[in-house]
Amino acid sequence: MQRTARAAGARELAEELGLIATAGRILVLDWVGPHGPWDDQLVFIFDGGTLSPAQVTTIRISDPEIAEFAFVELAEAKTMLRPDMAQRLARALDALTTGVTDYSEQLG
């Protein structure tokens, strides 16, 4: 079993949503310093590609931490996410468009 960040992302998608996907290029990489009870961490966002209509119909929530999912425009997603997550999403979409990986360091 692979223990890479890409493999972890694919495993989580399969376990939590029943999706089989291969992670593409890295869009965002953040180092987040220690905060609260957590040590420092690396946050990866990979290009997961585009789901076909058939793949969308196979999505099944299988993790009690996830209550529901929706496909929404960026403006609406920003209202649904914590500010740091909304910022990461916007940066990932920008990286997808520009072809340039976005890296940042946050002190927590």
Side-chain angles (χ1 to χ4, degrees):
M1 172 168 52
Q2 290 185 349
R3 297 189 184 272
T4 66
R6 275 192 173 88
R11 183 185 67 247
E12 291 297 309
L13 280 173
E15 289 176 3
E16 296 179 5
L17 298 174
L19 285 173
I20 304 303
T22 301
R25 72 180 189 83
I26 189 164
L27 300 175
V28 174
L29 174 58
D30 285 346
W31 175 84
V32 180
H35 55 287
W38 297 281
D39 291 330
D40 65 331
Q41 58 186 313
L42 291 173
V43 178
F44 297 84
I45 300 178
F46 294 97
D47 181 354
T50 302
L51 297 176
S52 70
Q55 287 172 305
V56 170
T57 64
T58 67
I59 296 174
R60 299 289 180 264
I61 296 172
S62 57
D63 185 321
E65 293 179 358
I66 301 173
E68 61 184 332
F69 71 92
F71 294 96
V72 299
E73 296 292 329
L74 177 60
E76 186 175 353
K78 285 181 174 181
T79 69
M80 301 168 77
L81 297 168
R82 291 188 331 240
D84 62 321
M85 298 303 291
Q87 181 190 53
R88 278 194 189 108
L89 174 60
R91 291 171 44 221
L93 290 173
D94 187 55
L96 187 62
T97 302
T98 64
V100 177
T101 298
D102 188 310
Y103 173 75
S104 76
E105 296 180 358
Q106 302 167 16
L107 295 177

